Amino acid sequence: MNAIGTSVPRLEDERLLLGRGRFHDGVIRPGQLWMRVVRSPVAHGRIRGVDTSAAERLPGVVSVITSADLVGMPRIPVRQPAPGMDFTPYLQAPLATGFVRYVGDPVAAVLADDPYVAEDAAELVALDIEELPVALDARSAADLELECFGGHRAEVGIIEFGYGEVDEVFAGAAHVVSTNLRVGRHSGTPLEPRGLVAEWDDRAERMTIWGATKVPYFNRRVAAQMIGLPEHRIHMLETDAGGSFGVRGEFYPEDLLVPYLCFRTRRPVKWSEDRAEHFVAANHARQQEHDIELAFDEDHRLLGLRNEAWLDNGGYIRTHGAVVAVLTASMMSGPYRLPACRSRVHIVTTNKTPIGTYRAPGRYQHNFVREHALDVAATQLGADPVELRRRNLLDATEFPHRRAIHIFGSPMVLDGKDHLEHFDKALASSEYQAWREQARAARESGRLVGTGCAFILEKAGLGYDSAIVDVDTTGAVRVAMGGANVGQGIETVMAQITAEEFDVPAESVKVVLSDTDILPDGSGTFASRTTVVGGTAVKQAAEAVVRKARRVAGVLLGADPEELRVEGGTLFAPGDPDKRLTLAEIARVCFTPAHLRNGEEPGLIGRSTYVADGMTYPYGAHFAQAEIDPGTGQVRLLRYAITYEIGRAVHPQLVRQQILGGAVQGIGGALFEEFRYSERGEPQSITLNDYRWPRASDIPEIRLDVFEDSPAPGNPLGVRGAGEGGTAGAGAAVANAVRDALQLTGDVGALPLHPERVKELLRRRDGGDADRPARDA
Amino acid sequence: MKPARFAYFQPDSVDEAVACLRENGGEARVLAGGQSLLVLMNRRQIRPTALVDLKRVRGLDYLVRDGEGLRIGALTRHIDIENADDPQIRTAFGVLPESARLIGHLPIRTRGTFGGSIAYADPRAEWCLLAVLLDAEVVVVSEDGSRTVPAKDFFTGAHQSAARWDEIVAEVRFPHPAPNAALVEFGIQQGDLPVVAASAAVDLDARGRIASARIALGGVADRPVRANGAEKAAVGSVPDGRLLDHLAQLASKELDPPADPRTDGHDRKELATVLVARALRASIARGATAGTGATPRTGATPGTSATAGTGRQADHQKAEDR
């Protein structure tokens, strides 16, 4: 019954398929009120007045609040502080105070007994806002001094990572290749938008909140501190969730407003975000501009990398702080032998929706920028792009490979094995060289077909997590951990890891996630960390249970505890297999006086906390083949392949689905998805008509080979994290394929490669078009 | 995303429906498949005071051959046109079932109606384009009776038509068969409303010269438009690749397309050229296959999106209601 490594049926599936899942909108409490947020219609302005009187007079309206009701309340803090950087002036208040910074900035909240009335009332809140000039480009906005930030500059700070004598290396290099690349503004846009329900219990004088995902413990802490309630008076309960992707579940203004209004009215409050709201209110992501330079010696060996980037942060600094900038800058060095590197990211506020972390934050960008620059370099050096990578990838002799960089306080140690070997295996399994031949033949017949590859460096696992595993007197096994179910199958994975220790079927294990009454702390689900960190905590807690079971069973069976075997949820001595004790029997005995110990928790229970030393660095390759319609500029992906080093797959099928789903999102950002703004900062992508998700018809069959060649040395499961590798390389591979299809000598300029941009590239390649100016698509 | 307050009526007949419409004055709207109307209402972009739902109205759901022509009832769902199995319709009006496949996604095609699309008068919509191409007539009814409006006069602007506020689109008549008609469109994704769509119906004479040509475009003006100059220039010519490209240039030359945030007028014009050329080729190829014309001297067009089945187009608010 080897649970780990088996694609057991998902524990979640039965309830989800039978309609028994419970999502936030399915939480209906007696007498609940509905919240509607009144949002700024302008991108930057001074609030002269907010008149709520008409809204308050509408029958059915219970309460209308503005920032005047929240005087003295702290702003929403960052979850991950960045040493040396003061975010204070840039933090967002739950309701805009004095100024609005983007279209969608919450200005007031309406509470009514019906969602229709709430929306009617929201329209009646009269906003008097004096419009101010808007800043929509990070690079040019950096030096603005902003009154709304107390005179501070729009540039929040600069994140810099580096090592080696970069400038000297460039001065002496045989070849230097430089390019300017931009990544568009897109984001994780879960199928289920955000939502929360909060209910006050008058007898217990505490509140229950449903719908927090991703980081429920942090969110409880922040809500408690901002409202001024003890943490224990807030009980977070998990619901099912239709995706998070790093976006859903951060602490947003609404995560304060819902519990605050519940506390204020002592009535259940529900808020269910609609799609139009989601597109302006939930974190955007990605948007960056990069100047990158690569230095090579005469033999095309990489000598150095210099990179300067501007991150368009949007209106405020939200909970992630500088994480996106850190992961962009620190990992720019990538999987290559690179003697010197300097990478800088300017974090600049603009008048757009604030950005946050979205699946592969920073890595989508650094992999695109570096891998695309490498292809440009290959052309300029007269080298083959595959061979240029092979020449520079780290090989077996170089691992573990230490970069003279610390990320989030830990040294950056690439802990994989032979990247070159991985690339060679990837080239073989994807049959990439045959794709290239096909593309070449197609081009000779006049078609615009090209191929692109990218080798990506990922990271996973971070911080700490706790878990409790217990076996009750009926023999039921329960595990509680602090990660969140966001639809990824984490219940199944935690059950598998627990089941492995007891040698019982995974489906017999009950998993409770992020219930703050059962487990007092947890870190949450992000950064491909839940299996790596939470899973390890669960394993250790289950091991503690087994240790105790051995101790007790050893006494009962008169055997050496260490020699007892665990099989099918029973313990027995190898020499006397007929005499065996079930976990239920052992659990019952654990509560008898003879087996109680001072200072030790009664029962068959184990707790553990696992603190990761540093991150693990998975890696892989992406390959794309694309065809362009010369008449319309439309890019059609013909083939796609991914290889990925996973360390160890607890549930191989879920790993595959994570990578494939991630790849589809990555392709979305490379070809379709984009938040556009007008010159006045008005969002142009507020429906799924304008913000385009990739569809089944846009995605070719993706060939995926998951390797388990290099178990992560840093954790006992050997797992490397699976959540983001599918996304991280898609921008790079697609851009490289499009560039090849067009046979460009330079770069593609920017993602996404929507038809207008590709047409523009075609025009420029063919010598431009006299009667139209070059356009910034 | 909750509509503003409105009254809701569910008449059982066309007579009741038009009476209800008149009773409610100009602010009422007709609800058919709801695929555009309800989206606009949920976003509060429109706030009708009343909805007149045609769900219970019987007898407006049909595809009927009428001599050599075809009549389509307004409440006919897109899917029923897509799946029309009358071989004569498939031959004489093959472009209709093939174009139905380009409309939205299966759930949209299952609910959205032909008449709703005509009434909504979206300048990019396939049915509006084909109505103009094929010289269709639109039958509208009110309490005062019915009248027939030629498609070329019916569409008067973006989402504006010759139908009065108290009239309901009841039927669309296609008077003449169009076995060679073809529609080609470009949308960002499959199921989208196209950015630009082009349609053509070319008939060749016994010598392989163009006897007549009809060309219509969508997405290039506030309504579907015919390319009259190119149509005239085509007659009598040998349809080689050069001529077709020339006709496509002529067709787009007449245009002054509007810009939207995604596609500027110049891009639309370029797309029009590309798509008219493809539509002409597709029409001529169809004639050749059906034996009603000579073999075209044209090359293949890779990555194209034609009624031949690889159509790419998409919009969640497919145009189905007025």
Side-chain angles (χ1 to χ4, degrees):
Chain A
M1 211 178 309
N2 199 356
I4 291 183
T6 315
S7 295
V8 301
R10 297 202 326 161
L11 270 57
E12 298 88 339
D13 286 345
E14 188 174 330
R15 73 164 185 274
L16 292 174
L17 293 174
L18 293 176
R20 294 203 304 261
R22 184 160 68 167
F23 297 81
H24 81 269
D25 203 38
V27 177
I28 297 163
R29 308 309 299 173
Q32 76 188 8
L33 301 172
W34 293 77
M35 183 181 82
R36 177 78 183 171
V37 177
V38 181
R39 299 178 183 281
S40 172
V42 303
H44 189 200
R46 187 192 322 274
I47 302 174
R48 285 191 294 228
V50 181
D51 183 355
T52 61
S53 54
E56 282 164 355
R57 282 197 301 272
L58 192 71
V61 171
V62 173
S63 179
V64 184
I65 61 167
T66 67
S67 65
D69 296 274
L70 307 178
V71 171
M73 186 179 279
R75 293 181 175 231
I76 298 168
V78 298
R79 186 162 56 80
Q80 285 155 300
M85 205 170 275
D86 181 14
F87 296 123
T88 313
Y90 304 100
L91 298 178
Q92 185 168 19
L95 290 173
T97 309
F99 295 86
V100 291
R101 294 274 310 146
Y102 60 97
V103 173
D105 203 347
V107 180
V110 172
L111 207 52
D113 56 15
D114 164 308
Y116 291 78
V117 173
E119 207 160 318
D120 292 344
E123 288 186 324
L124 295 175
V125 174
L127 305 180
D128 180 9
I129 298 174
E130 175 194 348
E131 285 195 50
L132 297 171
V134 298
L136 301 171
D137 172 63
R139 191 167 187 168
S140 59
D143 291 328
L144 296 175
E145 289 171 1
L146 296 168
E147 191 186 346
C148 53
F149 293 147
H152 285 87
R153 293 172 70 231
E155 181 176 283
V156 178
I158 300 171
I159 294 288
E160 178 171 333
F161 286 88
Y163 57 84
E165 298 301 325
V166 185
D167 295 328
E168 280 177 30
V169 160
F170 272 85
H175 308 281
V176 171
V177 175
S178 62
T179 184
N180 171 274
L181 293 168
R182 282 169 292 148
V183 182
R185 180 170 266 258
H186 65 277
S187 192
T189 46
L191 206 55
E192 183 203 18
R194 299 174 299 147
L196 284 176
V197 180
E199 182 177 41
W200 182 258
D201 179 337
D202 250 338
R203 183 188 163 279
E205 294 192 338
R206 69 198 297 253
M207 188 189 296
T208 301
I209 300 177
W210 292 264
T213 50
K214 184 169 181 176
V215 286
Y217 291 91
F218 173 80
N219 286 8
R220 176 169 80 147
R221 236 161 245 160
V222 174
Q225 289 167 16
M226 291 181 72
I227 297 171
L229 273 173
E231 279 185 54
H232 66 76
R233 292 207 187 277
I234 298 178
H235 180 198
M236 305 296 256
L237 272 180
E238 69 159 332
T239 55
D240 286 304
S244 162
F245 313 119
V247 172
R248 167 109 193 254
E250 289 285 3
F251 197 97
Y252 289 94
E254 298 86 357
D255 292 79
L256 179 280
L257 296 171
V258 171
Y260 171 78
L261 285 167
C262 169
F263 181 61
R264 184 172 151 129
T265 60
R266 301 293 203 269
R267 286 182 64 179
V269 173
K270 180 174 198 163
W271 167 67
S272 199
E273 183 179 57
D274 65 41
R275 181 62 66 191
E277 239 185 329
H278 180 83
F279 278 148
V280 298
N283 284 344
H284 289 183
R286 301 284 194 248
Q287 190 167 23
Q288 295 182 355
E289 176 177 351
H290 286 254
D291 285 339
I292 182 170
E293 296 171 282
L294 301 175
F296 295 89
D297 72 9
E298 281 173 356
D299 298 321
H300 303 165
R301 289 192 177 81
L302 262 174
L303 297 174
L305 183 157
R306 270 195 307 221
N307 179 228
E308 189 103 12
W310 290 264
L311 179 156
D312 181 337
N313 186 85
Y316 301 98
I317 291 284
R318 280 186 173 166
T319 46
H320 69 96
V323 166
V324 179
V326 168
L327 291 172
T328 303
S330 63
M331 294 179 68
M332 186 56 79
S333 50
Y336 300 103
R337 194 177 303 109
L338 184 67
C341 179
R342 183 175 66 230
S343 178
R344 243 187 227 148
V345 178
H346 302 250
I347 303 171
V348 184
T349 53
T350 58
N351 295 109
K352 304 180 200 169
T353 297
I355 66 116
T357 48
Y358 162 42
R359 202 171 199 171
R363 285 95 77 198
Y364 190 81
Q365 294 97 325
H366 77 69
N367 283 310
F368 160 61
V369 169
R370 185 191 58 248
E371 294 300 307
H372 197 60
L374 271 175
D375 270 23
V376 174
T379 305
Q380 294 188 8
L381 301 176
D384 180 273
V386 167
E387 288 309 313
L388 187 63
R389 286 179 174 80
R390 291 190 71 254
R391 180 158 301 187
N392 289 289
L393 278 169
L394 292 164
D395 67 29
T397 62
E398 295 164 289
F399 286 94
H401 189 78
R402 193 179 180 105
R403 301 255 194 240
I405 287 177
H406 279 64
I407 308 181
F408 303 127
S410 301
M412 183 178 189
V413 182
L414 307 187
D415 58 348
K417 76 183 249 241
D418 204 336
H419 287 7
L420 177 59
E421 181 196 35
H422 180 107
F423 193 47
D424 284 340
K425 280 174 70 174
L427 288 165
S429 70
S430 65
E431 300 176 344
Y432 183 62
Q433 299 294 9
W435 297 13
R436 298 179 80 190
E437 283 308 317
Q438 288 164 2
R440 199 168 294 140
R443 283 198 299 273
E444 275 163 18
S445 75
R447 292 163 62 193
L448 300 180
V449 181
T451 57
C453 69
F455 198 95
I456 62 159
L457 183 67
E458 249 291 291
K459 63 102 217 169
L462 183 68
Y464 70 97
D465 242 309
S466 301
I468 303 173
V469 174
D470 69 78
V471 184
D472 72 15
T473 58
T474 70
V477 181
R478 183 181 68 161
V479 52
M481 62 87 66
N485 161 26
V486 292
Q488 81 281 52
I490 201 64
E491 282 178 49
T492 303
V493 170
M494 294 304 134
Q496 283 180 280
I497 292 170
T498 312
E500 175 92 0
E501 298 301 322
F502 301 126
D503 192 34
V504 295
E507 71 260 24
S508 71
V509 176
K510 168 69 182 166
V511 179
V512 180
L513 296 168
S514 288
D515 181 329
T516 55
D517 275 8
I518 294 177
L519 185 73
D521 188 50
S523 295
T525 287
F526 56 95
S528 297
R529 63 181 301 284
T530 307
T531 303
V532 179
V533 184
T536 301
V538 166
K539 177 179 166 60
Q540 291 178 169
E543 286 169 350
V545 173
V546 171
R547 272 198 302 278
K548 182 156 182 185
R550 284 178 185 278
R551 192 184 85 205
V552 173
V555 174
L556 296 176
L557 296 171
D560 178 352
E562 293 309 310
E563 284 186 2
L564 292 178
R565 287 182 55 188
V566 181
E567 191 181 282
T570 67
L571 277 72
F572 62 93
D576 196 1
D578 291 338
K579 273 172 62 185
R580 54 175 74 209
L581 290 166
T582 65
L583 288 169
E585 289 166 331
I586 298 168
R588 288 196 283 269
V589 171
C590 282
F591 291 101
T592 59
H595 294 277
L596 293 173
R597 287 185 183 179
N598 244 329
E600 185 187 271
E601 202 166 357
L604 197 45
I605 184 167
R607 292 175 187 264
S608 184
T609 296
Y610 173 70
V611 185
D613 284 340
M615 295 191 289
T616 178
Y617 292 89
Y619 45 93
H622 281 234
F623 302 92
Q625 189 187 57
E627 175 158 16
I628 291 159
D629 180 334
T632 64
Q634 185 140 39
V635 177
R636 181 123 199 104
L637 285 179
L638 304 177
R639 297 172 184 276
Y640 205 91
I642 299 172
T643 60
Y644 202 58
E645 173 56 49
I646 192 70
R648 188 180 181 202
V650 176
H651 191 299
Q653 192 59 31
L654 284 178
V655 166
R656 293 184 66 82
Q657 298 311 322
Q658 278 291 315
I659 294 171
L660 292 174
V664 172
Q665 284 189 305
I667 290 168
L671 292 177
F672 305 107
E673 296 178 46
E674 188 171 30
F675 291 112
R676 298 174 178 222
Y677 283 84
S678 73
E679 285 172 6
R680 296 176 60 199
E682 297 151 325
Q684 305 293 298
S685 314
I686 51 168
T687 72
L688 287 166
N689 254 345
D690 320 304
Y691 186 87
R692 291 164 181 279
W693 281 343
R695 300 182 186 154
S697 52
D698 300 315
I699 307 290
E701 187 174 340
I702 297 173
R703 184 191 164 98
L704 170 62
D705 290 286
V706 174
F707 298 148
E708 294 177 284
D709 291 343
S710 172
N715 69 76
L717 289 167
V719 293
R720 286 192 177 276
E724 301 168 280
T727 312
V734 170
N736 288 350
V738 168
R739 180 179 179 276
D740 187 49
L742 295 173
Q743 293 287 292
L744 301 179
T745 50
D747 56 71
V748 297
L751 296 177
L753 289 159
H754 41 65
E756 310 93 277
R757 168 165 294 285
V758 174
K759 285 276 281 184
E760 181 75 22
L761 290 168
L762 263 167
R763 274 192 287 264
R764 276 191 214 158
R765 182 195 71 167
D766 299 338
D769 189 339
D771 63 346
R772 62 182 297 146
R775 194 158 53 109
D776 224 12
Chain B
M1 297 274 246
K2 307 273 187 246
R5 191 174 287 265
F6 60 89
Y8 176 76
F9 300 93
Q10 215 176 49
D12 287 312
S13 65
V14 174
D15 288 349
E16 276 181 45
V18 292
C20 184
L21 207 50
R22 187 164 285 181
E23 268 165 39
N24 279 283
E27 299 304 311
R29 298 293 281 253
V30 177
L31 172 65
Q35 299 301 292
S36 299
L37 181 65
L38 297 185
V39 174
L40 295 170
M41 286 174 64
N42 285 343
R43 291 165 60 187
R44 299 192 173 202
Q45 289 176 324
I46 59 168
R47 297 161 190 250
T49 54
L51 283 190
V52 179
D53 187 349
L54 301 184
K55 186 189 304 172
R56 297 222 295 229
V57 173
R58 305 267 169 247
L60 280 183
D61 170 9
Y62 54 82
L63 287 154
V64 182
R65 280 189 275 124
D66 182 6
E68 58 171 12
L70 176 69
R71 294 190 289 125
I72 301 182
L75 292 182
T76 308
R77 312 270 168 182
H78 306 310
I79 190 89
D80 295 326
I81 299 169
E82 181 179 356
N83 293 339
D85 50 11
D86 180 336
Q88 205 167 326
I89 293 177
R90 289 248 160 219
T91 311
F93 293 97
V95 70
L96 294 172
E98 285 165 14
S99 298
R101 294 173 57 186
L102 302 177
I103 299 176
H105 310 285
L106 189 59
I108 291 173
R109 296 202 290 276
T110 307
R111 308 206 75 167
T113 66
F114 186 85
S117 178
I118 294 291
Y120 188 54
D122 192 289
R124 301 163 295 173
E126 291 82 2
W127 294 150
C128 302
L129 177 61
L130 289 174
V132 168
L133 179 80
L134 302 180
D135 300 309
E137 295 169 331
V138 182
V139 180
V140 293
V141 296
S142 72
E143 277 201 295
D144 304 334
S146 73
R147 63 190 182 106
T148 300
V149 185
K152 69 177 169 51
D153 302 326
F154 183 79
F155 303 108
T156 56
H159 306 135
Q160 286 175 355
S161 75
R164 293 194 316 262
W165 63 269
D166 60 349
E167 285 178 323
I168 288 175
V169 171
E171 183 182 271
V172 176
R173 295 176 181 163
F174 291 91
H176 309 296
N180 298 346
L183 185 152
V184 174
E185 64 182 31
F186 169 70
I188 309 292
Q189 288 176 293
Q190 185 169 334
D192 283 1
L193 269 172
V195 176
V196 175
S199 57
V202 181
D203 295 314
L204 305 185
D205 64 20
R207 293 181 307 156
R209 292 177 191 273
I210 294 175
S212 74
R214 283 176 289 178
I215 300 167
L217 288 130
V220 294
D222 65 353
R223 68 197 83 175
V225 293
R226 288 279 284 269
N228 295 318
E231 290 180 358
K232 284 199 194 87
V235 176
S237 305
V238 177
D240 56 14
R242 205 146 120 209
L243 175 83
L244 300 184
D245 289 339
H246 170 67
L247 293 176
Q249 295 280 359
L250 266 184
S252 67
K253 212 173 188 175
E254 301 170 32
L255 306 171
D256 183 17
D260 70 14
R262 198 171 267 276
T263 316
D264 68 20
H266 189 102
D267 279 347
R268 276 176 202 272
K269 236 172 145 147
E270 282 190 10
L271 282 170
T273 312
V274 168
L275 294 174
V276 168
R278 289 180 187 179
L280 288 168
R281 284 175 165 85
S283 175
I284 289 165
R286 168 156 297 186
T289 320
T292 57
T295 308
R297 281 167 253 173
T298 58
T301 49
T304 192
S305 39
T307 42
T310 51
R312 332 220 51 234
Q313 62 124 325
D315 213 302
H316 292 258
Q317 58 174 99
K318 253 350 255 205
E320 293 349 299
D321 300 278
R322 53 174 277 194

